[in-house]
Amino acid sequence: MAGCRRLSGASWREVLGPAQGLLFDCDGVLWAGERAVPGAPELLERLSRSGKAALFVSNNSRRSVSELERRFSRLGFRGVRAEQVFSSALCSALYLRQRLLGAGDAACPGPAGRVFALGGEGLRGELRDAGLRLAGQGGPATGEDEPPVRAVLVGYDDQFTFAKLSEACGYLRDPQCLLVATDPDPWHPLSDGRRTPGTGSLTAAVETASGRKAVVVGKPNRYMFDCIVERFGVDPSRTLMVGDRLETDILFGKNCGLTTVLTLTGVSRLEEAQAYMASDSPAAKDLVPNYYVDSIADLIAGLDE
Amino acid sequence: MAQGSARRCLRLEPAAAREVLGAADTLLFDCDGVLWRGEAAVAGAAAALSRLQARAKRLCYVTNNSSRTRAAYAEKLQRLGFPPAEPRQVFGSAYCAARYLRQALPPGAAAYVLGGAALSDELGAAGIPHLGPGPADLPGPGPADWSRAPLQPNVRAVLVGFDPHFCYAKLCQALRYLQRGPDCLLVGTNRDHRLPLENGAAIPGTGCLVKAVEVAAEREAFIIGKPSRYIFDCVASEFEIDPARTIMVGDRLDTDILMGNNCGLTTLLTLTGVTTLEEVKGHQESDCPSRKSLVPDYYVDSIADLLPALED
C-alpha cells in the first residue's frame, strides 16, 4: 500500500530523477477559481527547463480544450499548448467518435447516430469538432431522415431540467443507445468554499430513471489515460500523477500504474488520506497517495540544479 | 405470517380467500395499478371494496404519489365509483412527509421543497413554513448569480418530492441548505424510479431527484413512502392496526410487497399493474435473501378475483 509520505527534498529528487513527466489535474492543483495557486506557473516553467514533460488531465467538462488553453495563459501559465490538455469533454468526444463513427457498424448502416448531450457550449463544441452530430433539444427528430439518437452524454449541465431528464430517458429506452458520463464528480468547490453539484449527481438521476449504468469517461477510470498514451506514448512507470481529489485523481493514478502525489490546495484533506490508510477495506487502500505536498509550489525547491 | 418462513406467492383461490379475508380487520390498498389504471377503474375492484366494507373491514389507501393531496385521492376514489373514503383513510407520501416534518422540525423551522402544489398544500395544512415549490425563482442565469441569493435562515430541512420543475438551480439551492450542517434534514417522499404512462412509456420518478441530491450532498435521505416503515407507522398511529390481521394489497414488489413483508403484514400481489408472475418466480428461486423478501404471500390476477369469496 502507498505510504502517503510528504514529498520534499531528497525524496522528491529521487522520485523526479527517473520520471519522464507529470500528469497534473487542474482545478485545485494549478488554480482555484480565477487565481493560480501561488508558485504553480513557476513550477511548470522549471519542470519544462528540467526536461520533464507536463500533461494536464481534468474531469471538468465545462470547457473546450481551446478555452482551457486560453485559461492557462490568462492565469499566468506560459507555453501550455492545447495538445497537452486532456479534458473529460475532449475525451468523451473521442470515446463517442470511436463508438459511433469508428469502424462502421454493420448492423446499422447509414449516417452515424446522433448524441443527446446534457452540458454547455464547451462540451458541445468538442463533440462537434470530433465530427459528431448533436440532437437538438425538445423532442424527437424534426426530419424523417434524421439518424436516431445513439448516445446520451451527461456532462456538467447547469441548465439541467426535468424535461431534459425525461427526454434522455426516452432515448435510453432503445438498448442500443449508449449512456455515457463525462466524469463521476459529485460536487465541485466554489471559490467561497461552497459546493456546486457535479456531473455525478446528474448522472445518478439519469441512471435511476433509465435503469442503466453509465460508462464514465473521466478519472478514476482509465480511458483518459488511454487517450494520453495514444497521443504521447507515456510510460506509466516513469510518470507521476498530481491531483487534489483522492477518489478521482489518486485512484486514477493507481488504476493506471502511476506514482501518485496528493496536493492539499484543493478538495481532499490529509486526514481523509490517513483515514483511508487506516481503513480495513481493500478498496480504501487504492485511495492512498504515494506522496503529498501542501502545494505543488513546494516542488520548486527540489528543482534547483 | 410466521417469522422466518418463506412467503410462497400462492394463488389466492376463493376458499383460501375466505379464510385470509376472514382473518383480517384491515386492508391497505395501493391505488395505481390496483384499483385503477390512470382514469379507468379496474373492473370489479369497486365492487370488491364495497363488499369488504360491508363486512366491516377497515380500508386504507397507501400511495407513494406525492403529486396529489389526500383530499384529491378521496375525490378520485369517489369519482371512479369506489366506496366513499374520508381523507383520513388516505396515506399519500405528501401528507406523510408533512406529518414527519411536523414532528421532526423544531418549532418555527421551515423546509426547502423540491416539489409541486400538492406537497405545498399538505405542508401548509400541517402548518409547516416552506419555500421552493414551482419553477426556480433565482436571480440571474448562472450558478455565480444563484449563489448570491440569500438563504432563509430558518430552513432546517430539504424535502424532495415529485418535481416537474426540477432543475440544476434548485439542486444548487438544496445543496446550499444541506451544506449548512448535519442538522438540516434531508427527506425524500419516495424512491420510485419511474412513473409508467398509459402508452408503455414512463417519466422519471421522484427517486431520480432524491438520488441527485443524495450524490451531491454525500448523504442519505430519510424516505417517507413504501417500502419505508414510516408510511405504515402513519397508518398504524391513526388507526389501531394489528399487523397480523392486516393485508397489504399492491402491484409493485419493491414498494408495496416489501413494505408489507417488512411490517409483518399479509401481502397480496395483484397482476393488474407493473409486476408479472415471472418476476416473482425469479425472486422466489433466487438464493438472495433480499430478493426473497420481495415475494408476497398470495397473488390474484385482479382484486376482482376476491368477489367470489365475498359472496354471502
Side-chain angles (χ1 to χ4, degrees):
Chain A
M1 182 187 59
C4 194
R5 297 197 309 278
R6 181 182 281 283
L7 187 62
S8 63
S11 60
W12 170 220
R13 278 187 285 275
E14 238 177 76
V15 164
L16 185 64
Q20 280 175 336
L22 296 86
L23 303 187
F24 288 94
D25 176 44
C26 302
D27 300 296
V29 177
L30 305 178
W31 55 65
E34 285 302 305
R35 291 184 58 241
V37 164
E42 192 188 343
L43 173 71
L44 292 193
E45 184 110 353
R46 300 281 203 97
L47 280 170
S48 171
R49 280 195 259 136
S50 303
K52 304 297 181 185
L55 298 174
F56 306 97
V57 55
S58 169
N59 270 3
N60 190 321
S61 61
R62 278 179 59 196
R63 297 191 179 95
S64 65
V65 160
S66 45
E67 283 173 77
L68 276 170
E69 194 185 29
R70 286 193 294 276
R71 184 176 174 79
F72 272 100
S73 175
R74 193 170 72 245
L75 295 184
F77 297 86
R78 294 206 306 260
V80 175
R81 299 179 320 279
E83 61 170 12
Q84 291 169 265
V85 180
F86 294 80
S87 72
S88 65
L90 169 71
C91 293
S92 297
L94 295 176
Y95 178 81
L96 287 171
R97 184 174 70 184
Q98 255 178 334
R99 294 297 304 270
L100 296 185
L101 302 181
D105 181 351
C108 179
R114 292 177 296 150
V115 179
F116 179 64
L118 296 166
E121 239 338 281
L123 177 61
R124 305 169 80 81
E126 292 288 14
L127 295 169
R128 281 190 223 106
D129 287 351
L132 294 157
R133 289 170 70 173
L134 303 184
Q137 231 174 280
T142 46
E144 274 171 16
D145 50 359
E146 283 268 32
V149 169
R150 286 272 189 240
V152 169
L153 175 64
V154 187
Y156 174 82
D157 185 5
D158 62 21
Q159 305 300 312
F160 186 85
T161 60
F162 188 90
K164 289 165 97 171
L165 173 61
S166 204
E167 188 175 350
C169 288
Y171 298 127
L172 290 167
R173 285 172 69 195
D174 172 3
Q176 303 280 11
C177 182
L178 304 176
L179 174 56
V180 183
T182 56
D183 68 278
D185 297 16
W187 52 266
H188 302 285
L190 297 172
S191 40
D192 56 5
R194 284 194 287 234
R195 298 178 179 182
T196 196
T199 306
S201 166
L202 307 182
T203 305
V206 178
E207 288 182 322
T208 303
S210 63
R212 306 265 300 266
K213 271 317 265 154
V215 168
V216 179
V217 169
K219 301 171 282 181
N221 293 335
R222 277 194 62 106
Y223 186 74
M224 298 228 282
F225 187 67
D226 295 343
C227 294
I228 292 171
V229 167
E230 169 135 0
R231 192 180 282 178
F232 288 109
V234 161
D235 175 359
S237 67
R238 297 182 62 192
T239 306
L240 305 179
M241 172 69 204
V242 184
D244 72 307
R245 195 159 203 166
L246 297 168
E247 296 80 12
T248 51
D249 302 319
I250 301 307
L251 184 54
F252 173 77
K254 176 76 171 71
N255 287 341
C256 303
L258 312 171
T259 300
T260 53
V261 181
L262 174 70
T263 174
L264 299 176
T265 45
V267 165
S268 295
R269 310 263 64 86
L270 184 58
E271 298 70 50
E272 290 166 49
Q274 290 164 338
Y276 283 130
M277 216 162 116
S279 161
D280 289 327
S281 138
K285 311 286 190 207
D286 289 347
L287 299 170
V288 180
N290 295 106
Y291 302 103
Y292 77 92
V293 290
D294 291 317
S295 154
I296 61 173
D298 297 353
L299 302 175
I300 296 174
L303 293 170
D304 288 337
E305 296 290 288
Chain B
M1 178 63 224
Q3 281 291 75
S5 50
R7 296 173 192 257
R8 293 158 58 204
C9 194
L10 303 170
R11 177 183 273 277
L12 194 59
E13 307 287 7
R18 264 188 284 276
E19 243 184 76
V20 170
L21 294 174
D25 298 326
T26 304
L27 287 95
L28 310 184
F29 290 93
D30 175 45
C31 301
D32 303 287
V34 178
L35 305 181
W36 56 65
R37 279 180 295 246
E39 283 296 308
V42 165
L49 265 62
S50 212
R51 302 239 190 120
L52 286 164
Q53 190 148 287
R55 284 157 183 259
K57 304 299 178 189
R58 182 185 296 116
L59 307 181
C60 294
Y61 307 93
V62 183
T63 174
N64 276 358
N65 190 319
S66 64
S67 316
R68 284 212 183 88
T69 59
R70 295 188 298 162
Y73 261 92
E75 188 275 329
K76 181 165 180 172
L77 282 160
Q78 179 169 30
R79 189 169 76 247
L80 294 189
F82 288 88
E86 291 168 45
R88 71 186 282 257
Q89 289 169 265
V90 180
F91 295 83
S93 64
Y95 165 68
C96 294
R99 268 181 79 134
Y100 176 76
L101 288 176
R102 198 177 61 208
Q103 150 237 319
L105 283 176
Y112 177 72
V113 180
L114 298 171
L119 195 47
S120 183
D121 287 348
E122 294 285 20
L123 289 168
I128 297 168
H130 59 284
L131 64 148
D137 174 26
L138 290 164
D145 311 294
W146 309 333
S147 62
R148 281 186 235 121
L151 294 182
Q152 291 274 45
N154 65 336
V155 166
R156 298 284 290 277
V158 168
L159 172 61
V160 186
F162 183 73
D163 186 5
H165 294 288
F166 181 85
C167 63
Y168 187 86
K170 295 174 82 175
L171 176 59
C172 274
Q173 279 297 90
L175 184 57
R176 286 176 78 200
Y177 281 116
L178 292 167
Q179 282 297 105
R180 290 205 301 202
D183 53 348
C184 181
L185 305 175
L186 173 55
V187 183
T189 55
N190 58 294
R191 285 201 188 279
D192 294 51
H193 294 180
R194 279 185 282 288
L195 306 183
L197 302 176
E198 285 302 297
N199 61 359
I203 54 173
T206 305
C208 311
L209 312 183
V210 173
K211 230 5 186 172
V213 177
E214 288 182 314
V215 169
E218 295 179 314
R219 286 175 52 165
E220 210 176 298
F222 179 83
I223 301 298
I224 299 293
K226 303 169 284 183
S228 164
R229 275 206 72 104
Y230 184 75
I231 197 167
F232 173 71
D233 290 343
C234 287
V235 184
S237 71
E238 182 74 20
F239 302 103
E240 263 180 52
I241 304 275
D242 176 1
R245 296 182 64 80
T246 303
I247 305 174
M248 174 72 208
V249 186
D251 72 310
R252 194 181 270 279
L253 300 178
D254 62 355
T255 51
D256 306 318
I257 302 305
L258 182 57
M259 185 199 77
N261 288 346
N262 286 345
C263 296
L265 315 181
T266 301
T267 47
L268 172 61
L269 172 71
T270 171
L271 300 179
T272 43
V274 299
T275 304
T276 63
L277 207 49
E278 290 65 46
E279 255 181 84
V280 190
K281 297 303 181 196
H283 296 308
Q284 243 179 322
E285 282 152 21
S286 137
D287 288 326
C288 173
S290 61
R291 287 186 71 184
K292 285 197 169 340
S293 62
L294 300 174
V295 177
D297 291 300
Y298 304 103
Y299 80 93
V300 286
D301 292 319
S302 154
I303 60 175
D305 296 354
L306 300 175
L307 283 167
L310 295 167
E311 280 160 9
D312 275 316

PDB file of all heavy atoms in Angstrom, chain B residues 32 35-42 46 68-85:
ATOM      1  N   ASP B  32     -52.640   3.093  -7.814  1.00  0.00           N
ATOM      2  CA  ASP B  32     -52.298   2.933  -9.229  1.00  0.00           C
ATOM      3  C   ASP B  32     -51.909   1.483  -9.492  1.00  0.00           C
ATOM      4  O   ASP B  32     -51.031   0.946  -8.837  1.00  0.00           O
ATOM      5  CB  ASP B  32     -51.107   3.832  -9.589  1.00  0.00           C
ATOM      6  CG  ASP B  32     -51.377   5.304  -9.267  1.00  0.00           C
ATOM      7  OD1 ASP B  32     -52.162   5.918 -10.005  1.00  0.00           O
ATOM      8  OD2 ASP B  32     -50.839   5.807  -8.262  1.00  0.00           O
ATOM      9  N   LEU B  35     -56.355  -0.423  -7.941  1.00  0.00           N
ATOM     10  CA  LEU B  35     -57.755  -0.005  -8.003  1.00  0.00           C
ATOM     11  C   LEU B  35     -58.088   0.596  -9.370  1.00  0.00           C
ATOM     12  O   LEU B  35     -59.214   0.495  -9.847  1.00  0.00           O
ATOM     13  CB  LEU B  35     -58.035   1.050  -6.932  1.00  0.00           C
ATOM     14  CG  LEU B  35     -57.672   0.663  -5.501  1.00  0.00           C
ATOM     15  CD1 LEU B  35     -58.044   1.807  -4.554  1.00  0.00           C
ATOM     16  CD2 LEU B  35     -58.367  -0.620  -5.077  1.00  0.00           C
ATOM     17  N   TRP B  36     -57.089   1.266  -9.958  1.00  0.00           N
ATOM     18  CA  TRP B  36     -57.305   1.903 -11.249  1.00  0.00           C
ATOM     19  C   TRP B  36     -56.013   1.930 -12.034  1.00  0.00           C
ATOM     20  O   TRP B  36     -54.931   1.677 -11.509  1.00  0.00           O
ATOM     21  CB  TRP B  36     -57.847   3.336 -11.070  1.00  0.00           C
ATOM     22  CG  TRP B  36     -56.987   4.237 -10.230  1.00  0.00           C
ATOM     23  CD1 TRP B  36     -55.720   4.680 -10.523  1.00  0.00           C
ATOM     24  CD2 TRP B  36     -57.341   4.844  -8.980  1.00  0.00           C
ATOM     25  NE1 TRP B  36     -55.263   5.519  -9.533  1.00  0.00           N
ATOM     26  CE2 TRP B  36     -56.236   5.639  -8.570  1.00  0.00           C
ATOM     27  CE3 TRP B  36     -58.474   4.806  -8.171  1.00  0.00           C
ATOM     28  CZ2 TRP B  36     -56.234   6.372  -7.390  1.00  0.00           C
ATOM     29  CZ3 TRP B  36     -58.472   5.550  -7.000  1.00  0.00           C
ATOM     30  CH2 TRP B  36     -57.367   6.323  -6.605  1.00  0.00           C
ATOM     31  N   ARG B  37     -56.184   2.189 -13.327  1.00  0.00           N
ATOM     32  CA  ARG B  37     -55.012   2.492 -14.171  1.00  0.00           C
ATOM     33  C   ARG B  37     -55.350   3.806 -14.832  1.00  0.00           C
ATOM     34  O   ARG B  37     -56.281   3.876 -15.634  1.00  0.00           O
ATOM     35  CB  ARG B  37     -54.796   1.385 -15.224  1.00  0.00           C
ATOM     36  CG  ARG B  37     -54.082   0.151 -14.689  1.00  0.00           C
ATOM     37  CD  ARG B  37     -53.917  -0.891 -15.793  1.00  0.00           C
ATOM     38  NE  ARG B  37     -55.203  -1.391 -16.226  1.00  0.00           N
ATOM     39  CZ  ARG B  37     -55.625  -2.652 -16.052  1.00  0.00           C
ATOM     40  NH1 ARG B  37     -54.850  -3.518 -15.432  1.00  0.00           N
ATOM     41  NH2 ARG B  37     -56.811  -3.023 -16.483  1.00  0.00           N
ATOM     42  N   GLY B  38     -54.602   4.857 -14.485  1.00  0.00           N
ATOM     43  CA  GLY B  38     -54.933   6.189 -14.989  1.00  0.00           C
ATOM     44  C   GLY B  38     -56.310   6.580 -14.490  1.00  0.00           C
ATOM     45  O   GLY B  38     -56.558   6.599 -13.281  1.00  0.00           O
ATOM     46  N   GLU B  39     -57.218   6.861 -15.430  1.00  0.00           N
ATOM     47  CA  GLU B  39     -58.567   7.285 -15.041  1.00  0.00           C
ATOM     48  C   GLU B  39     -59.589   6.151 -15.147  1.00  0.00           C
ATOM     49  O   GLU B  39     -60.799   6.383 -15.054  1.00  0.00           O
ATOM     50  CB  GLU B  39     -59.021   8.470 -15.909  1.00  0.00           C
ATOM     51  CG  GLU B  39     -58.397   9.795 -15.500  1.00  0.00           C
ATOM     52  CD  GLU B  39     -58.819  10.219 -14.096  1.00  0.00           C
ATOM     53  OE1 GLU B  39     -60.036  10.248 -13.807  1.00  0.00           O
ATOM     54  OE2 GLU B  39     -57.925  10.512 -13.273  1.00  0.00           O
ATOM     55  N   ALA B  40     -59.098   4.939 -15.385  1.00  0.00           N
ATOM     56  CA  ALA B  40     -60.023   3.818 -15.560  1.00  0.00           C
ATOM     57  C   ALA B  40     -59.938   2.867 -14.376  1.00  0.00           C
ATOM     58  O   ALA B  40     -58.873   2.314 -14.078  1.00  0.00           O
ATOM     59  CB  ALA B  40     -59.678   3.068 -16.844  1.00  0.00           C
ATOM     60  N   ALA B  41     -61.082   2.662 -13.701  1.00  0.00           N
ATOM     61  CA  ALA B  41     -61.102   1.728 -12.575  1.00  0.00           C
ATOM     62  C   ALA B  41     -60.881   0.313 -13.088  1.00  0.00           C
ATOM     63  O   ALA B  41     -61.341  -0.040 -14.170  1.00  0.00           O
ATOM     64  CB  ALA B  41     -62.442   1.816 -11.848  1.00  0.00           C
ATOM     65  N   VAL B  42     -60.196  -0.496 -12.322  1.00  0.00           N
ATOM     66  CA  VAL B  42     -60.054  -1.915 -12.642  1.00  0.00           C
ATOM     67  C   VAL B  42     -61.430  -2.560 -12.472  1.00  0.00           C
ATOM     68  O   VAL B  42     -62.100  -2.369 -11.451  1.00  0.00           O
ATOM     69  CB  VAL B  42     -59.027  -2.579 -11.693  1.00  0.00           C
ATOM     70  CG1 VAL B  42     -59.118  -4.093 -11.741  1.00  0.00           C
ATOM     71  CG2 VAL B  42     -57.618  -2.088 -12.013  1.00  0.00           C
ATOM     72  N   ALA B  46     -64.164  -1.882  -7.539  1.00  0.00           N
ATOM     73  CA  ALA B  46     -65.058  -1.112  -6.664  1.00  0.00           C
ATOM     74  C   ALA B  46     -66.033  -2.037  -5.949  1.00  0.00           C
ATOM     75  O   ALA B  46     -66.325  -1.868  -4.757  1.00  0.00           O
ATOM     76  CB  ALA B  46     -65.801  -0.051  -7.470  1.00  0.00           C
ATOM     77  N   ARG B  68     -50.500  14.392  -5.359  1.00  0.00           N
ATOM     78  CA  ARG B  68     -51.905  14.645  -5.021  1.00  0.00           C
ATOM     79  C   ARG B  68     -52.076  14.733  -3.520  1.00  0.00           C
ATOM     80  O   ARG B  68     -51.418  14.024  -2.761  1.00  0.00           O
ATOM     81  CB  ARG B  68     -52.776  13.499  -5.537  1.00  0.00           C
ATOM     82  CG  ARG B  68     -53.013  13.550  -7.040  1.00  0.00           C
ATOM     83  CD  ARG B  68     -54.379  12.977  -7.351  1.00  0.00           C
ATOM     84  NE  ARG B  68     -54.624  12.945  -8.778  1.00  0.00           N
ATOM     85  CZ  ARG B  68     -54.287  11.936  -9.562  1.00  0.00           C
ATOM     86  NH1 ARG B  68     -53.693  10.880  -9.062  1.00  0.00           N
ATOM     87  NH2 ARG B  68     -54.545  11.993 -10.847  1.00  0.00           N
ATOM     88  N   THR B  69     -53.008  15.570  -3.099  1.00  0.00           N
ATOM     89  CA  THR B  69     -53.355  15.650  -1.679  1.00  0.00           C
ATOM     90  C   THR B  69     -54.274  14.480  -1.320  1.00  0.00           C
ATOM     91  O   THR B  69     -54.837  13.823  -2.192  1.00  0.00           O
ATOM     92  CB  THR B  69     -54.125  16.950  -1.381  1.00  0.00           C
ATOM     93  OG1 THR B  69     -55.302  16.958  -2.194  1.00  0.00           O
ATOM     94  CG2 THR B  69     -53.275  18.175  -1.693  1.00  0.00           C
ATOM     95  N   ARG B  70     -54.441  14.251  -0.012  1.00  0.00           N
ATOM     96  CA  ARG B  70     -55.365  13.200   0.458  1.00  0.00           C
ATOM     97  C   ARG B  70     -56.772  13.482  -0.040  1.00  0.00           C
ATOM     98  O   ARG B  70     -57.508  12.569  -0.441  1.00  0.00           O
ATOM     99  CB  ARG B  70     -55.375  13.156   1.978  1.00  0.00           C
ATOM    100  CG  ARG B  70     -54.064  12.744   2.573  1.00  0.00           C
ATOM    101  CD  ARG B  70     -54.197  12.534   4.060  1.00  0.00           C
ATOM    102  NE  ARG B  70     -54.590  13.732   4.766  1.00  0.00           N
ATOM    103  CZ  ARG B  70     -55.088  13.732   5.987  1.00  0.00           C
ATOM    104  NH1 ARG B  70     -55.270  12.594   6.643  1.00  0.00           N
ATOM    105  NH2 ARG B  70     -55.406  14.861   6.568  1.00  0.00           N
ATOM    106  N   ALA B  71     -57.136  14.749   0.014  1.00  0.00           N
ATOM    107  CA  ALA B  71     -58.500  15.113  -0.418  1.00  0.00           C
ATOM    108  C   ALA B  71     -58.692  14.761  -1.881  1.00  0.00           C
ATOM    109  O   ALA B  71     -59.759  14.263  -2.276  1.00  0.00           O
ATOM    110  CB  ALA B  71     -58.727  16.604  -0.178  1.00  0.00           C
ATOM    111  N   ALA B  72     -57.671  15.010  -2.692  1.00  0.00           N
ATOM    112  CA  ALA B  72     -57.778  14.703  -4.121  1.00  0.00           C
ATOM    113  C   ALA B  72     -57.933  13.200  -4.340  1.00  0.00           C
ATOM    114  O   ALA B  72     -58.669  12.765  -5.229  1.00  0.00           O
ATOM    115  CB  ALA B  72     -56.559  15.235  -4.863  1.00  0.00           C
ATOM    116  N   TYR B  73     -57.226  12.380  -3.532  1.00  0.00           N
ATOM    117  CA  TYR B  73     -57.375  10.936  -3.658  1.00  0.00           C
ATOM    118  C   TYR B  73     -58.779  10.496  -3.256  1.00  0.00           C
ATOM    119  O   TYR B  73     -59.388   9.646  -3.907  1.00  0.00           O
ATOM    120  CB  TYR B  73     -56.317  10.207  -2.806  1.00  0.00           C
ATOM    121  CG  TYR B  73     -55.152   9.753  -3.643  1.00  0.00           C
ATOM    122  CD1 TYR B  73     -54.041  10.553  -3.812  1.00  0.00           C
ATOM    123  CD2 TYR B  73     -55.202   8.530  -4.315  1.00  0.00           C
ATOM    124  CE1 TYR B  73     -52.982  10.159  -4.621  1.00  0.00           C
ATOM    125  CE2 TYR B  73     -54.158   8.121  -5.127  1.00  0.00           C
ATOM    126  CZ  TYR B  73     -53.052   8.942  -5.276  1.00  0.00           C
ATOM    127  OH  TYR B  73     -52.022   8.535  -6.078  1.00  0.00           O
ATOM    128  N   ALA B  74     -59.268  11.079  -2.180  1.00  0.00           N
ATOM    129  CA  ALA B  74     -60.625  10.722  -1.734  1.00  0.00           C
ATOM    130  C   ALA B  74     -61.627  11.058  -2.824  1.00  0.00           C
ATOM    131  O   ALA B  74     -62.565  10.297  -3.116  1.00  0.00           O
ATOM    132  CB  ALA B  74     -60.957  11.469  -0.449  1.00  0.00           C
ATOM    133  N   GLU B  75     -61.398  12.191  -3.465  1.00  0.00           N
ATOM    134  CA  GLU B  75     -62.296  12.625  -4.542  1.00  0.00           C
ATOM    135  C   GLU B  75     -62.198  11.666  -5.734  1.00  0.00           C
ATOM    136  O   GLU B  75     -63.224  11.315  -6.337  1.00  0.00           O
ATOM    137  CB  GLU B  75     -61.920  14.064  -4.924  1.00  0.00           C
ATOM    138  CG  GLU B  75     -62.858  14.759  -5.894  1.00  0.00           C
ATOM    139  CD  GLU B  75     -62.563  14.470  -7.367  1.00  0.00           C
ATOM    140  OE1 GLU B  75     -61.387  14.251  -7.722  1.00  0.00           O
ATOM    141  OE2 GLU B  75     -63.535  14.464  -8.155  1.00  0.00           O
ATOM    142  N   LYS B  76     -60.989  11.201  -6.064  1.00  0.00           N
ATOM    143  CA  LYS B  76     -60.820  10.275  -7.194  1.00  0.00           C
ATOM    144  C   LYS B  76     -61.472   8.920  -6.880  1.00  0.00           C
ATOM    145  O   LYS B  76     -62.108   8.312  -7.754  1.00  0.00           O
ATOM    146  CB  LYS B  76     -59.338  10.080  -7.531  1.00  0.00           C
ATOM    147  CG  LYS B  76     -59.125   9.135  -8.721  1.00  0.00           C
ATOM    148  CD  LYS B  76     -57.714   9.233  -9.279  1.00  0.00           C
ATOM    149  CE  LYS B  76     -57.590   8.255 -10.466  1.00  0.00           C
ATOM    150  NZ  LYS B  76     -56.336   8.394 -11.196  1.00  0.00           N
ATOM    151  N   LEU B  77     -61.340   8.463  -5.656  1.00  0.00           N
ATOM    152  CA  LEU B  77     -61.991   7.202  -5.266  1.00  0.00           C
ATOM    153  C   LEU B  77     -63.488   7.301  -5.502  1.00  0.00           C
ATOM    154  O   LEU B  77     -64.115   6.391  -6.060  1.00  0.00           O
ATOM    155  CB  LEU B  77     -61.702   6.896  -3.788  1.00  0.00           C
ATOM    156  CG  LEU B  77     -60.316   6.324  -3.483  1.00  0.00           C
ATOM    157  CD1 LEU B  77     -59.959   6.508  -2.011  1.00  0.00           C
ATOM    158  CD2 LEU B  77     -60.246   4.853  -3.864  1.00  0.00           C
ATOM    159  N   GLN B  78     -64.043   8.418  -5.087  1.00  0.00           N
ATOM    160  CA  GLN B  78     -65.486   8.585  -5.264  1.00  0.00           C
ATOM    161  C   GLN B  78     -65.841   8.659  -6.748  1.00  0.00           C
ATOM    162  O   GLN B  78     -66.786   8.007  -7.199  1.00  0.00           O
ATOM    163  CB  GLN B  78     -65.931   9.862  -4.549  1.00  0.00           C
ATOM    164  CG  GLN B  78     -67.420  10.109  -4.700  1.00  0.00           C
ATOM    165  CD  GLN B  78     -67.895  11.214  -3.791  1.00  0.00           C
ATOM    166  OE1 GLN B  78     -67.136  12.128  -3.485  1.00  0.00           O
ATOM    167  NE2 GLN B  78     -69.135  11.148  -3.361  1.00  0.00           N
ATOM    168  N   ARG B  79     -65.072   9.443  -7.478  1.00  0.00           N
ATOM    169  CA  ARG B  79     -65.347   9.646  -8.901  1.00  0.00           C
ATOM    170  C   ARG B  79     -65.318   8.329  -9.671  1.00  0.00           C
ATOM    171  O   ARG B  79     -66.076   8.121 -10.615  1.00  0.00           O
ATOM    172  CB  ARG B  79     -64.310  10.617  -9.477  1.00  0.00           C
ATOM    173  CG  ARG B  79     -64.600  11.089 -10.894  1.00  0.00           C
ATOM    174  CD  ARG B  79     -63.698  12.256 -11.306  1.00  0.00           C
ATOM    175  NE  ARG B  79     -62.345  11.824 -11.633  1.00  0.00           N
ATOM    176  CZ  ARG B  79     -61.267  12.135 -10.935  1.00  0.00           C
ATOM    177  NH1 ARG B  79     -61.368  12.877  -9.843  1.00  0.00           N
ATOM    178  NH2 ARG B  79     -60.073  11.710 -11.312  1.00  0.00           N
ATOM    179  N   LEU B  80     -64.460   7.408  -9.276  1.00  0.00           N
ATOM    180  CA  LEU B  80     -64.335   6.149 -10.011  1.00  0.00           C
ATOM    181  C   LEU B  80     -65.221   5.049  -9.428  1.00  0.00           C
ATOM    182  O   LEU B  80     -65.084   3.877  -9.782  1.00  0.00           O
ATOM    183  CB  LEU B  80     -62.863   5.693 -10.058  1.00  0.00           C
ATOM    184  CG  LEU B  80     -61.923   6.606 -10.855  1.00  0.00           C
ATOM    185  CD1 LEU B  80     -60.560   5.957 -11.010  1.00  0.00           C
ATOM    186  CD2 LEU B  80     -62.474   6.923 -12.236  1.00  0.00           C
ATOM    187  N   GLY B  81     -66.099   5.442  -8.514  1.00  0.00           N
ATOM    188  CA  GLY B  81     -67.122   4.502  -8.061  1.00  0.00           C
ATOM    189  C   GLY B  81     -66.747   3.642  -6.874  1.00  0.00           C
ATOM    190  O   GLY B  81     -67.441   2.666  -6.572  1.00  0.00           O
ATOM    191  N   PHE B  82     -65.678   3.988  -6.198  1.00  0.00           N
ATOM    192  CA  PHE B  82     -65.285   3.213  -5.025  1.00  0.00           C
ATOM    193  C   PHE B  82     -66.084   3.685  -3.815  1.00  0.00           C
ATOM    194  O   PHE B  82     -66.644   4.777  -3.824  1.00  0.00           O
ATOM    195  CB  PHE B  82     -63.784   3.366  -4.773  1.00  0.00           C
ATOM    196  CG  PHE B  82     -62.957   2.642  -5.791  1.00  0.00           C
ATOM    197  CD1 PHE B  82     -62.587   3.254  -6.974  1.00  0.00           C
ATOM    198  CD2 PHE B  82     -62.592   1.319  -5.579  1.00  0.00           C
ATOM    199  CE1 PHE B  82     -61.852   2.581  -7.931  1.00  0.00           C
ATOM    200  CE2 PHE B  82     -61.855   0.629  -6.532  1.00  0.00           C
ATOM    201  CZ  PHE B  82     -61.490   1.256  -7.718  1.00  0.00           C
ATOM    202  N   PRO B  83     -66.129   2.854  -2.760  1.00  0.00           N
ATOM    203  CA  PRO B  83     -66.846   3.294  -1.561  1.00  0.00           C
ATOM    204  C   PRO B  83     -66.265   4.614  -1.080  1.00  0.00           C
ATOM    205  O   PRO B  83     -65.039   4.799  -1.103  1.00  0.00           O
ATOM    206  CB  PRO B  83     -66.567   2.190  -0.534  1.00  0.00           C
ATOM    207  CG  PRO B  83     -65.938   1.069  -1.258  1.00  0.00           C
ATOM    208  CD  PRO B  83     -65.522   1.524  -2.604  1.00  0.00           C
ATOM    209  N   PRO B  84     -67.126   5.542  -0.649  1.00  0.00           N
ATOM    210  CA  PRO B  84     -66.625   6.857  -0.227  1.00  0.00           C
ATOM    211  C   PRO B  84     -65.567   6.698   0.864  1.00  0.00           C
ATOM    212  O   PRO B  84     -65.702   5.863   1.756  1.00  0.00           O
ATOM    213  CB  PRO B  84     -67.874   7.555   0.319  1.00  0.00           C
ATOM    214  CG  PRO B  84     -69.028   6.807  -0.241  1.00  0.00           C
ATOM    215  CD  PRO B  84     -68.576   5.402  -0.493  1.00  0.00           C
ATOM    216  N   ALA B  85     -64.534   7.493   0.736  1.00  0.00           N
ATOM    217  CA  ALA B  85     -63.455   7.443   1.722  1.00  0.00           C
ATOM    218  C   ALA B  85     -63.222   8.837   2.270  1.00  0.00           C
ATOM    219  O   ALA B  85     -63.373   9.821   1.556  1.00  0.00           O
ATOM    220  CB  ALA B  85     -62.177   6.922   1.060  1.00  0.00           C
TER     221      ALA B  85
END
